[in-house]
PDB file of all heavy atoms in Angstrom:
ATOM      1  N   ALA W  33      -4.534  17.649   2.674  1.00 98.00           N
ATOM      2  CA  ALA W  33      -5.620  18.624   3.224  1.00 98.00           C
ATOM      3  C   ALA W  33      -5.331  18.830   4.716  1.00 98.00           C
ATOM      4  O   ALA W  33      -5.484  19.929   5.224  1.00 98.00           O
ATOM      5  CB  ALA W  33      -7.021  18.031   3.007  1.00 98.00           C
ATOM      6  N   ALA W  42      -1.761  27.198  12.392  1.00 93.00           N
ATOM      7  CA  ALA W  42      -0.494  27.457  13.000  1.00 93.00           C
ATOM      8  C   ALA W  42      -0.374  28.701  13.853  1.00 93.00           C
ATOM      9  O   ALA W  42       0.306  28.667  14.909  1.00 93.00           O
ATOM     10  CB  ALA W  42       0.608  27.375  11.976  1.00 93.00           C
ATOM     11  N   ASP W  53     -14.202  30.129  20.838  1.00 95.00           N
ATOM     12  CA  ASP W  53     -15.294  29.143  20.693  1.00 95.00           C
ATOM     13  C   ASP W  53     -15.441  28.328  22.019  1.00 95.00           C
ATOM     14  O   ASP W  53     -14.927  27.255  22.211  1.00 95.00           O
ATOM     15  CB  ASP W  53     -14.994  28.155  19.592  1.00 95.00           C
ATOM     16  CG  ASP W  53     -15.966  27.130  19.445  1.00 95.00           C
ATOM     17  OD1 ASP W  53     -17.095  27.254  20.014  1.00 95.00           O
ATOM     18  OD2 ASP W  53     -15.684  26.084  18.745  1.00 95.00           O
ATOM     19  N   ALA W  88      -8.972   8.516   7.259  1.00 98.00           N
ATOM     20  CA  ALA W  88      -9.218   7.234   7.704  1.00 98.00           C
ATOM     21  C   ALA W  88      -9.882   6.422   6.481  1.00 98.00           C
ATOM     22  O   ALA W  88      -9.559   5.255   6.129  1.00 98.00           O
ATOM     23  CB  ALA W  88     -10.099   7.221   8.814  1.00 98.00           C
ATOM     24  N   GLY W 103     -11.958 -11.928  11.290  1.00 94.00           N
ATOM     25  CA  GLY W 103     -10.999 -12.930  11.288  1.00 94.00           C
ATOM     26  C   GLY W 103     -10.196 -13.090  10.108  1.00 94.00           C
ATOM     27  O   GLY W 103      -9.512 -14.197   9.908  1.00 94.00           O
ATOM     28  N   ASP W 128     -11.250 -20.668   9.556  1.00 89.00           N
ATOM     29  CA  ASP W 128     -10.691 -22.026   9.073  1.00 89.00           C
ATOM     30  C   ASP W 128     -11.774 -23.128   9.275  1.00 89.00           C
ATOM     31  O   ASP W 128     -11.388 -24.137   9.795  1.00 89.00           O
ATOM     32  CB  ASP W 128      -9.379 -22.392   9.752  1.00 89.00           C
ATOM     33  CG  ASP W 128      -8.296 -21.376   9.331  1.00 89.00           C
ATOM     34  OD1 ASP W 128      -8.392 -20.680   8.270  1.00 89.00           O
ATOM     35  OD2 ASP W 128      -7.309 -21.295  10.131  1.00 89.00           O
ATOM     36  N   VAL W 132     -15.530 -19.973  16.076  1.00 94.00           N
ATOM     37  CA  VAL W 132     -14.654 -19.486  17.160  1.00 94.00           C
ATOM     38  C   VAL W 132     -15.466 -19.214  18.392  1.00 94.00           C
ATOM     39  O   VAL W 132     -14.947 -19.477  19.564  1.00 94.00           O
ATOM     40  CB  VAL W 132     -14.005 -18.175  16.677  1.00 94.00           C
ATOM     41  CG1 VAL W 132     -13.426 -17.383  17.729  1.00 94.00           C
ATOM     42  CG2 VAL W 132     -12.965 -18.528  15.567  1.00 94.00           C
ATOM     43  N   GLU W 135     -16.099 -22.233  20.634  1.00 94.00           N
ATOM     44  CA  GLU W 135     -14.744 -22.544  21.226  1.00 94.00           C
ATOM     45  C   GLU W 135     -14.404 -21.581  22.380  1.00 94.00           C
ATOM     46  O   GLU W 135     -14.012 -21.989  23.495  1.00 94.00           O
ATOM     47  CB  GLU W 135     -13.674 -22.436  20.134  1.00 94.00           C
ATOM     48  CG  GLU W 135     -12.355 -22.834  20.523  1.00 94.00           C
ATOM     49  CD  GLU W 135     -12.055 -24.256  20.749  1.00 94.00           C
ATOM     50  OE1 GLU W 135     -13.033 -25.112  20.734  1.00 94.00           O
ATOM     51  OE2 GLU W 135     -10.985 -24.725  20.929  1.00 94.00           O
ATOM     52  N   ASP W 249       4.698 -35.013  43.283  1.00 96.00           N
ATOM     53  CA  ASP W 249       3.332 -35.037  42.724  1.00 96.00           C
ATOM     54  C   ASP W 249       2.714 -33.649  42.841  1.00 96.00           C
ATOM     55  O   ASP W 249       1.623 -33.345  42.305  1.00 96.00           O
ATOM     56  CB  ASP W 249       2.458 -36.066  43.414  1.00 96.00           C
ATOM     57  CG  ASP W 249       2.955 -37.409  43.088  1.00 96.00           C
ATOM     58  OD1 ASP W 249       3.626 -37.649  42.025  1.00 96.00           O
ATOM     59  OD2 ASP W 249       2.657 -38.320  43.811  1.00 96.00           O
ATOM     60  N   TRP W 268       5.974 -30.349  29.471  1.00 98.00           N
ATOM     61  CA  TRP W 268       6.602 -29.849  30.776  1.00 98.00           C
ATOM     62  C   TRP W 268       6.149 -30.643  31.972  1.00 98.00           C
ATOM     63  O   TRP W 268       6.689 -30.584  33.012  1.00 98.00           O
ATOM     64  CB  TRP W 268       6.231 -28.357  30.853  1.00 98.00           C
ATOM     65  CG  TRP W 268       6.985 -27.582  31.846  1.00 98.00           C
ATOM     66  CD1 TRP W 268       8.184 -26.864  31.645  1.00 98.00           C
ATOM     67  CD2 TRP W 268       6.533 -27.205  33.250  1.00 98.00           C
ATOM     68  NE1 TRP W 268       8.502 -26.158  32.726  1.00 98.00           N
ATOM     69  CE2 TRP W 268       7.605 -26.429  33.816  1.00 98.00           C
ATOM     70  CE3 TRP W 268       5.418 -27.608  33.995  1.00 98.00           C
ATOM     71  CZ2 TRP W 268       7.495 -26.010  35.099  1.00 98.00           C
ATOM     72  CZ3 TRP W 268       5.429 -27.114  35.333  1.00 98.00           C
ATOM     73  CH2 TRP W 268       6.428 -26.299  35.889  1.00 98.00           C
ATOM     74  N   PRO W 295      -5.524 -15.272  36.408  1.00 98.00           N
ATOM     75  CA  PRO W 295      -5.212 -14.698  37.784  1.00 98.00           C
ATOM     76  C   PRO W 295      -6.276 -13.564  38.131  1.00 98.00           C
ATOM     77  O   PRO W 295      -6.658 -13.416  39.268  1.00 98.00           O
ATOM     78  CB  PRO W 295      -3.813 -14.053  37.628  1.00 98.00           C
ATOM     79  CG  PRO W 295      -3.183 -14.933  36.563  1.00 98.00           C
ATOM     80  CD  PRO W 295      -4.332 -15.238  35.629  1.00 98.00           C
ATOM     81  N   LEU W 332      -8.959   8.803  18.229  1.00 98.00           N
ATOM     82  CA  LEU W 332      -7.690   8.812  19.026  1.00 98.00           C
ATOM     83  C   LEU W 332      -6.497   8.350  18.141  1.00 98.00           C
ATOM     84  O   LEU W 332      -5.435   8.925  18.149  1.00 98.00           O
ATOM     85  CB  LEU W 332      -7.801   7.839  20.188  1.00 98.00           C
ATOM     86  CG  LEU W 332      -8.722   8.324  21.385  1.00 98.00           C
ATOM     87  CD1 LEU W 332      -9.033   7.206  22.283  1.00 98.00           C
ATOM     88  CD2 LEU W 332      -8.046   9.498  22.055  1.00 98.00           C
ATOM     89  N   GLU W 358      -1.379   2.454  38.361  1.00 97.00           N
ATOM     90  CA  GLU W 358       0.073   2.724  38.240  1.00 97.00           C
ATOM     91  C   GLU W 358       0.696   1.888  37.072  1.00 97.00           C
ATOM     92  O   GLU W 358       1.674   2.314  36.461  1.00 97.00           O
ATOM     93  CB  GLU W 358       0.652   2.083  39.644  1.00 97.00           C
ATOM     94  CG  GLU W 358       2.127   2.446  39.760  1.00 97.00           C
ATOM     95  CD  GLU W 358       2.684   2.043  41.098  1.00 97.00           C
ATOM     96  OE1 GLU W 358       1.885   1.536  41.955  1.00 97.00           O
ATOM     97  OE2 GLU W 358       3.824   2.010  41.316  1.00 97.00           O
ATOM     98  N   SER W 371       3.581  -2.859  19.064  1.00 98.00           N
ATOM     99  CA  SER W 371       2.663  -2.924  17.957  1.00 98.00           C
ATOM    100  C   SER W 371       3.131  -2.043  16.820  1.00 98.00           C
ATOM    101  O   SER W 371       3.325  -2.509  15.686  1.00 98.00           O
ATOM    102  CB  SER W 371       1.238  -2.613  18.283  1.00 98.00           C
ATOM    103  OG  SER W 371       0.680  -3.461  19.369  1.00 98.00           O
ATOM    104  N   THR W 395       2.228   7.644  37.569  1.00 97.00           N
ATOM    105  CA  THR W 395       1.130   7.889  38.348  1.00 97.00           C
ATOM    106  C   THR W 395       1.108   9.301  38.914  1.00 97.00           C
ATOM    107  O   THR W 395       2.237   9.758  39.335  1.00 97.00           O
ATOM    108  CB  THR W 395       1.170   6.863  39.614  1.00 97.00           C
ATOM    109  OG1 THR W 395       1.652   5.685  39.154  1.00 97.00           O
ATOM    110  CG2 THR W 395      -0.148   6.711  40.193  1.00 97.00           C
ATOM    111  N   GLN W 405       7.939  18.946  35.145  1.00 97.00           N
ATOM    112  CA  GLN W 405       8.806  20.063  34.828  1.00 97.00           C
ATOM    113  C   GLN W 405       9.190  19.980  33.321  1.00 97.00           C
ATOM    114  O   GLN W 405       9.107  21.036  32.605  1.00 97.00           O
ATOM    115  CB  GLN W 405      10.018  20.078  35.739  1.00 97.00           C
ATOM    116  CG  GLN W 405      11.157  21.003  35.309  1.00 97.00           C
ATOM    117  CD  GLN W 405      10.801  22.522  35.337  1.00 97.00           C
ATOM    118  OE1 GLN W 405       9.955  22.887  36.085  1.00 97.00           O
ATOM    119  NE2 GLN W 405      11.384  23.240  34.373  1.00 97.00           N
ATOM    120  N   SER W 427     -11.122   6.117  50.540  1.00 90.00           N
ATOM    121  CA  SER W 427     -12.188   6.413  51.510  1.00 90.00           C
ATOM    122  C   SER W 427     -12.443   7.881  51.839  1.00 90.00           C
ATOM    123  O   SER W 427     -13.413   8.230  52.359  1.00 90.00           O
ATOM    124  CB  SER W 427     -11.816   5.680  52.851  1.00 90.00           C
ATOM    125  OG  SER W 427     -10.429   6.144  53.242  1.00 90.00           O
ATOM    126  N   LEU W 435      -7.025  15.454  44.070  1.00 98.00           N
ATOM    127  CA  LEU W 435      -6.556  14.704  42.981  1.00 98.00           C
ATOM    128  C   LEU W 435      -7.193  15.207  41.665  1.00 98.00           C
ATOM    129  O   LEU W 435      -6.385  15.581  40.654  1.00 98.00           O
ATOM    130  CB  LEU W 435      -6.886  13.200  43.125  1.00 98.00           C
ATOM    131  CG  LEU W 435      -6.438  12.213  42.023  1.00 98.00           C
ATOM    132  CD1 LEU W 435      -4.951  12.068  42.117  1.00 98.00           C
ATOM    133  CD2 LEU W 435      -7.078  10.828  42.240  1.00 98.00           C
ATOM    134  N   GLU W 486      -6.508  -0.399  22.377  1.00 98.00           N
ATOM    135  CA  GLU W 486      -6.165  -1.370  21.480  1.00 98.00           C
ATOM    136  C   GLU W 486      -6.484  -0.913  20.080  1.00 98.00           C
ATOM    137  O   GLU W 486      -5.790  -1.005  19.043  1.00 98.00           O
ATOM    138  CB  GLU W 486      -6.839  -2.665  21.707  1.00 98.00           C
ATOM    139  CG  GLU W 486      -6.302  -3.527  22.808  1.00 98.00           C
ATOM    140  CD  GLU W 486      -7.057  -4.783  23.114  1.00 98.00           C
ATOM    141  OE1 GLU W 486      -8.167  -5.012  22.397  1.00 98.00           O
ATOM    142  OE2 GLU W 486      -6.686  -5.561  23.941  1.00 98.00           O
TER     143      GLU W 486
END
Side-chain angles (χ1 to χ4, degrees):
D53 179 10
D128 298 334
V132 165
E135 180 75 349
D249 296 335
W268 194 85
L332 287 168
E358 189 177 353
S371 297
T395 319
Q405 166 63 31
S427 54
L435 182 72
E486 284 179 354

